[in-house]
């Protein structure tokens, strides 16, 4: 089954053809980074307007790269939540119209579930596993028992992990996107320069939750307080110290989920899963079986959407033309097991 996947939840305009949920035939990602760079952040209105201009050529290119004609598309999958609603609506409306005109089914699906599916395009990973979903808008620790059977264990109580990277980078003018800029700067820095505070572990139902606003505030407003004399207050050192603390927060909660569930398989996904320090730290864990998507499949892309969408379409699930975009996640369970 050839599934066309469409992703437009934020600032990447992407389309891909994936065969049987596994074989990526094409994956065209048109990034708007240069357009939003002058603002050091994604401007929602500009993002959705740009999607309207790019969506058709991006889809056409995905079909021609895959060597697949319109008539060979068996179904369409599209991100319908969560994300910037104006941006989501462009992809969703396009998918509805295109599916209707081709006479094929379409399905709207959850972007975070698609991130969690991304590594399945490159590996065969058995369920269940612990999922670490870290993007610009979400931070979710979960247990996946199937492609869309996912129980949230913990989430952020304030800022998302990627959001903290973006806000720190924006404040210091490190570059855009913030996570990429901090990752690059940190390579030349010393993470011992600042000892930023880590949030204390919560108890009870919230024991797997994370928090990033304290680290963000400490890095932006209280730098001197956490500075270790003898080290330079350089951009590189700020980046390295912040990045180490940000990753430490994730790992401490992940550790608890692994401990409590007894699961040794860990799958990371989302833009922050591209972070080199996070990848190094997790790869060093010989007691765990850790899988990451390659860098191109960490950040937003249509292939993960097409891959996940195959599973819905293959079991006969379809969305109706009344399907709407939503800023929030859905389809996650709240309890495990
Ligand atoms: O998944 P994604 O492309 O879009 C959302 O769904 O949000 O993730 C974007 C986020 C941004 O916050 C960006 O700064 C962060 O991922 N990011 C990184 C890296 N590359 C992208 N964060 C840390 N290190 C990176 N190398
Ligand atoms: Zn994403």
């Amino acid at each position: 089954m050839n599934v066309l996947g469409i992703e437009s939840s934020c600032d990447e305009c992407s389309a891909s053809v994936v065969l049987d949920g596994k074989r990526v035939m094409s994956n065209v990602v048109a990034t708007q980074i240069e357009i939003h760079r002058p603002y050091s952040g994604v401007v929602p209105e500009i993002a959705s307007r740009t999607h309207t201009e790019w969506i058709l050529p991006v889809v056409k290119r995905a079909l021609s790269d895959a060597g697949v004609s319109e008539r060979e598309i068996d179904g369409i999958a599209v991100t319908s939540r969560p994300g910037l609603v104006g941006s989501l609506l462009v992809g969703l409306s396009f998918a509805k119209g295109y599916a209707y005109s081709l006479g094929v089914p379409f399905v709207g699906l959850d972007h975070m579930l698609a991130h969690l599916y991304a590594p399945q395009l490159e590996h065969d990973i058995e369920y269940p596993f612990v999922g670490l979903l870290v993007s610009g808008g979400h931070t979710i620790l979960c247990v996946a028992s199937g492609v869309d059977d996912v129980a949230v264990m913990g989430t952020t109580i304030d800022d998302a992990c990627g959001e903290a990277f973006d806000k720190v980078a924006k404040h210091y003018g490190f570059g855009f996107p913030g996570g990429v800029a901090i990752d690059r700067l940190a390579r030349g820095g010393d993470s011992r320069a600042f000892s930023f505070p880590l949030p204390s572990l919560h108890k009870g139902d919230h024991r797997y939750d994370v928090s990033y606003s304290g680290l963000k505030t400490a890095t932006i407003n209280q730098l001197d307080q956490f500075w270790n004399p003898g080290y330079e207050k350089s951009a590189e050192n700020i980046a390295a110290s912040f990045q180490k603390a940000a990753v430490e927060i994730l790992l401490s909660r992940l550790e608890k989920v692994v401990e409590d569930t007894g699961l040794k398989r860990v799958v990371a996904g989302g833009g922050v899963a591209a972070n080199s320090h996070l990848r190094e730290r997790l790869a060093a864990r010989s007691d765990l079986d850790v899988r990451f998507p390659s860098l191109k499949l960490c950040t937003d892309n249509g292939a993960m959407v097409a891959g996940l969408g195959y599973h819905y379409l293959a079991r006969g699930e379809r969305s109706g033309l009344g399907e709407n975009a939503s800023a929030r996640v859905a389809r996650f369970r709240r309890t495990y097991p």
Side-chain angles (χ1 to χ4, degrees):
M1 183 190 277
N2 280 322
V3 176
L4 170 67
I6 296 175
E7 161 60 44
S8 71
S9 65
C10 192
D11 60 333
E12 323 295 346
C13 187
S14 179
S16 158
V17 177
V18 173
L19 177 66
D20 295 338
K22 270 291 180 199
R23 197 161 150 224
V24 181
M25 311 289 288
S26 66
N27 188 22
V28 179
V29 182
T31 177
Q32 301 180 11
I33 287 175
E34 292 312 321
I35 295 173
H36 299 281
R37 179 163 281 141
Y39 311 97
S40 300
V42 176
V43 182
E45 178 62 21
I46 296 176
S48 43
R49 278 169 186 260
T50 309
H51 282 307
T52 60
E53 288 168 23
W54 289 7
I55 188 91
L56 183 59
V58 164
V59 167
K60 280 189 170 165
R61 178 71 183 268
L63 294 184
S64 71
D65 281 7
V68 163
S69 71
E70 282 186 335
R71 279 190 310 281
E72 291 169 310
I73 299 173
D74 300 300
I76 299 177
V78 59
T79 301
S80 60
R81 62 186 178 274
L84 302 171
V85 170
S87 289
L88 286 165
L89 279 171
V90 178
L92 178 60
S93 308
F94 184 90
K96 283 181 189 176
Y98 201 32
Y100 185 75
S101 73
L102 295 178
V104 299
F106 87 96
V107 65
L109 49 81
D110 195 291
H111 180 81
M112 298 313 291
L113 290 182
H115 271 306
L116 196 59
Y117 187 79
Q120 297 283 16
L121 295 167
E122 299 169 318
H123 311 271
D124 289 315
I125 309 168
E126 276 178 46
Y127 295 91
F129 55 72
V130 175
L132 179 63
L133 285 171
V134 269
S135 71
H138 292 82
T139 309
I140 298 173
L141 278 149
C142 57
V143 174
S145 305
V147 285
D148 65 337
D149 181 4
V150 177
V152 174
M153 305 295 283
T155 180
T156 179
I157 58 166
D158 40 57
D159 291 351
C161 182
E163 188 180 356
F165 273 88
D166 295 337
K167 286 180 174 167
V168 166
K170 183 171 181 172
H171 175 82
Y172 286 109
F174 287 164
F176 174 79
V180 178
I182 288 180
D183 196 344
R184 193 177 48 236
L185 275 172
R187 277 176 213 146
D190 192 326
S191 61
R192 291 168 300 182
F194 301 89
S195 303
F196 292 124
L198 302 179
S200 56
L201 281 169
H202 301 271
K203 304 255 182 310
D205 284 353
H206 298 290
R207 62 193 180 282
Y208 310 117
D209 283 349
V210 298
S211 162
Y212 276 96
S213 81
L215 173 62
K216 178 192 69 184
T217 305
T219 312
I220 291 176
N221 298 322
Q222 302 161 332
L223 203 54
D224 287 339
Q225 207 174 312
F226 301 105
W227 174 55
N228 294 317
Y231 290 94
E232 227 188 295
K233 290 182 195 170
S234 63
E236 288 81 1
N237 286 350
I238 296 171
S241 305
F242 164 82
Q243 175 175 273
K244 179 160 184 283
V247 167
E248 210 64 61
I249 291 173
L250 287 179
L251 295 181
S252 71
R253 301 312 198 272
L254 180 69
E255 195 67 51
K256 272 212 98 29
V257 178
V258 166
E259 224 175 84
D260 293 356
T261 59
L263 296 170
K264 298 283 180 210
R265 245 188 316 271
V266 174
V267 170
V272 185
N275 184 263
S276 56
H277 183 60
L278 175 63
R279 292 171 89 95
E280 274 162 27
R281 292 286 301 275
L282 279 173
R285 293 289 302 264
S286 53
D287 56 324
L288 300 177
D289 174 13
V290 184
R291 304 296 175 94
F292 291 99
S294 59
L295 293 183
K296 185 158 188 200
L297 293 180
C298 280
T299 44
D300 294 348
N301 65 87
M304 65 184 190
V305 178
L308 174 62
Y310 161 78
H311 294 272
Y312 292 116
L313 292 165
R315 67 183 185 218
E317 240 180 270
R318 278 102 178 82
S319 296
L321 292 177
E323 172 91 4
N324 210 347
S326 155
R328 305 181 72 86
V329 293
R331 284 230 187 214
F332 283 86
R333 282 197 287 122
R334 292 281 148 196
T335 52
Y336 175 79

